[in-house]
Amino acid sequence: MDTTKTAIADSSYVKTKKLVIDVKNLKKSFGTQKVLQKISMQLFDGENLVVLGKSGSGKSVLVKCIIRLLEADGGSIDIMGENVGGLHQDGLMEIRKKIGFLFQSGALYDSMTVRENLEFPLTRIKKDLTRAAVNEKVKEALENVGLLEAIDKMPAQLSGGMRKRISLARTIVLDPMIMLYDEPTTGLDPITSDEISILINDIQQKYKTSSIIITHDIACARSTANRVVMLHEGQIYQEGSLESFEKSEDMFIKSFFK
Amino acid sequence: MKKLIPIIQLKPSVEQAKNHAIKVTEKTFDISNKASGFFQEVANMFLFAAQTFKATFSRDFEFKEFLRQCYQIGNKSLPLISVTGIIIGLVLAIQSRPTLMNFGAVTMLPGMVAVSLIREMGPVITALICAGKIGSGMGAELGSMKVTEQIDAMEVSSTNPMRFLVVTRVLAATLMIPLLVLYADALGLIGSWAGANIKGDVTFILYCRQALSHVHFMDFLPAVIKTFVFGSIIGLVGCYKGYNAGRGTESVGKAANSAVVLASLLVIMVDLVAVQITDML
Ligand SMILES: Nc1ncnc2c1ncn2[C@@H]1O[C@H](COP(=O)(O)OP(=O)(O)OP(=O)(O)O)[C@@H](O)[C@H]1O
Ligand SMILES: [Mg+2]
């Protein structure tokens, strides 16, 4: 665990950058199953933080606790200085407007077309947009994920990878300040995966977003990560730069990066 | 040695008693678990109803979605209700005719059919059909939205899913089911006219006049009030079961199924209470 501390101290973000998300001693269990035990991590302004971990290690649970889709059992979560746990419905809605969340499953609305799927959050969060501006933004987001031709299709008519990309478009159409990507490239071919990784970097550059990227895909991690956190058995196993992970002698980490 | 024998014989019975005691305790636990599970469910449902009620009167009513739901409910169940309405009227007339004939009271037929249609048959049968058609539909739709995280997705895009999904559906059911009941009553009347007139030549207008002269305002009003309650029960139960579906696609089927069962049961129970109350008036 000493490596963790040195990694934080080394990181230039700590001194220079503003804290965006601050998770302290987060705990979450389902029944007797302790999924997260004492997780502490930070997301700094403008960085891409990659979260690695085995399947079932609680990565999705972690991001869902951050956005309060799941209630944490203990600990605190601050987003831009506000304690999320203490917020009521209205405050929570305000915070959520600043956050884009890409669901692992895509979570497209089955009963709506692709266009309506993108318009639904857009017209609700940015109420002052004109009709033309909405159309423009929807088209732009779909172009970004390379699926403009699917605009009038229903989700059921799309392939798994296409759904994932539409779902990503639905998230980026809001230009959020914070992005939480839950496995953005899983189930995509290598070429599309690369495109998505590039897109994630583009979004970071263009809108200065701070992102948490959950992934198993080491290629995606390599091209997007500014910093990496590894989750194992409900705890932060290691935290540091990508290089420190690549060079690590730890067997568990090596098995990820081989 | 002799003294040992009873002890040896006693031993298995002590063991048996112990086992029996354990079984009894386990059963008691099981029953009390089931009972507390039931009460928890009831409490959760009341909580859900209260939340829905609260969300109904908050700002930003989703009018467009409400209209869409009204259309869905009407559109989905109209054919079914039409067929059932006509048949119920027909059957009522055909079945009561011989009995009434024995008492020489065939002229009572239109009034009798109309009263039983409007007071009981129309509301209850329509509500039961709607519990099957609409309640299960809502349970399955919201259940699958829950399972595939669509409800979560709504929540993170700053839309209150209670307001968008639940309130609109419950209100639509509360409004549309009474209308469907009136429609079923009307068709039932037509059906009964056909049934009563197989061998007769009473015009429909005359038949209606005869029928409705026996229907008083106090037959009509409680029946209509009752249907509003049925509507809100069907909407609430369907949404509750769907909204609280578990994880995994299996729970979608469960949600739809238990929505139908619970909604039908509640409709019958409320009807029983309503009849008692109307009787006292
Ligand atoms: N709502 C829930 N109820 C009960 N258990 C849950 C719930 N959500 C997650 N879990 C459990 O928590 C554990 C972690 O799940 P999670 O989805 O966070 O894994 P993950 O790290 O995202 O895995 P993957 O990489 O496969 O997506 C799993 O064992 C899962 O069974
Ligand atoms: Mg996951």
Side-chain angles (χ1 to χ4, degrees), chain A residues 64 67 69 90 93 96-97 99 101 103-105 107-111 120-121 124-125 127 170, chain B residues 59-60 62 68 141 144-145 148-160 163-164 247:
Chain A
K64 281 185 188 167
I67 201 162
L69 280 175
D90 287 345
M93 278 203 178
R96 280 175 176 167
K97 282 182 186 169
I99 305 176
F101 191 104
F103 283 85
Q104 184 170 359
S105 61
L108 292 179
Y109 305 124
D110 285 331
S111 58
F120 185 85
R124 273 149 201 281
I125 291 182
K127 288 188 175 139
R170 187 177 69 182
Chain B
R59 69 208 135 89
D60 295 339
E62 305 277 354
R68 206 176 71 88
E141 193 184 4
S144 70
M145 288 187 79
T148 56
E149 298 182 311
Q150 293 175 49
I151 292 184
D152 287 344
M154 257 176 208
E155 216 161 297
V156 297
S157 56
S158 293
T159 304
N160 184 342
R163 209 177 292 156
F164 186 78
R247 283 154 58 84

Side-chain angles (χ1 to χ4, degrees), chain B residues 94-147:
Chain B
I94 294 174
Q95 286 223 315
S96 348
R97 203 183 155 86
T99 321
L100 287 178
M101 209 121 72
N102 285 345
F103 294 100
V106 185
T107 46
M108 292 292 287
L109 182 77
M112 201 203 80
V113 170
V115 169
S116 58
L117 261 180
I118 287 170
R119 284 185 73 142
E120 273 307 310
M121 301 304 269
V124 173
I125 289 188
T126 310
L128 287 180
I129 288 176
C130 288
K133 187 93 188 153
I134 296 163
S136 71
M138 286 180 182
E141 193 184 4
L142 293 198
S144 70
M145 288 187 79
K146 172 87 181 183
V147 168

Side-chain angles (χ1 to χ4, degrees), chain A residues 8 14 19-24 40-44 47 49 212 227 229 239:
Chain A
I8 289 184
V14 179
L19 255 183
V20 176
I21 298 180
D22 188 9
V23 178
K24 283 194 207 116
S40 296
M41 56 180 257
Q42 293 85 29
L43 176 72
F44 295 99
E47 77 169 334
L49 174 68
I212 294 181
R227 205 156 58 90
V229 163
E239 178 178 351

Side-chain angles (χ1 to χ4, degrees), chain A residues 54-61 63-64 104-105 182-183 214 216:
Chain A
K54 277 201 315 196
S55 183
S57 58
K59 305 179 300 294
S60 299
V61 171
V63 279
K64 281 185 188 167
Q104 184 170 359
S105 61
D182 196 347
E183 311 206 354
I214 291 178
H216 296 146

Side-chain angles (χ1 to χ4, degrees), chain B residues 166-242:
Chain B
V166 177
V167 169
T168 51
R169 280 171 173 75
V170 173
L171 283 187
T174 312
L175 185 77
M176 292 307 286
I177 287 174
L179 290 181
L180 287 172
V181 168
L182 289 183
Y183 173 74
D185 286 348
L187 284 185
L189 210 59
I190 297 178
S192 69
W193 170 66
N197 244 357
I198 292 175
K199 299 186 192 94
D201 50 1
V202 187
T203 63
F204 183 61
I205 310 263
L206 183 62
Y207 182 84
C208 279
R209 202 172 291 155
Q210 280 176 353
L212 295 180
S213 66
H214 287 86
V215 180
H216 302 291
F217 184 63
M218 279 317 281
D219 291 324
F220 193 68
L221 185 70
V224 170
I225 294 175
K226 177 161 90 175
T227 55
F228 279 99
V229 180
F230 290 165
S232 57
I233 286 177
I234 290 167
L236 269 175
V237 171
C239 290
Y240 170 77
K241 287 291 179 184

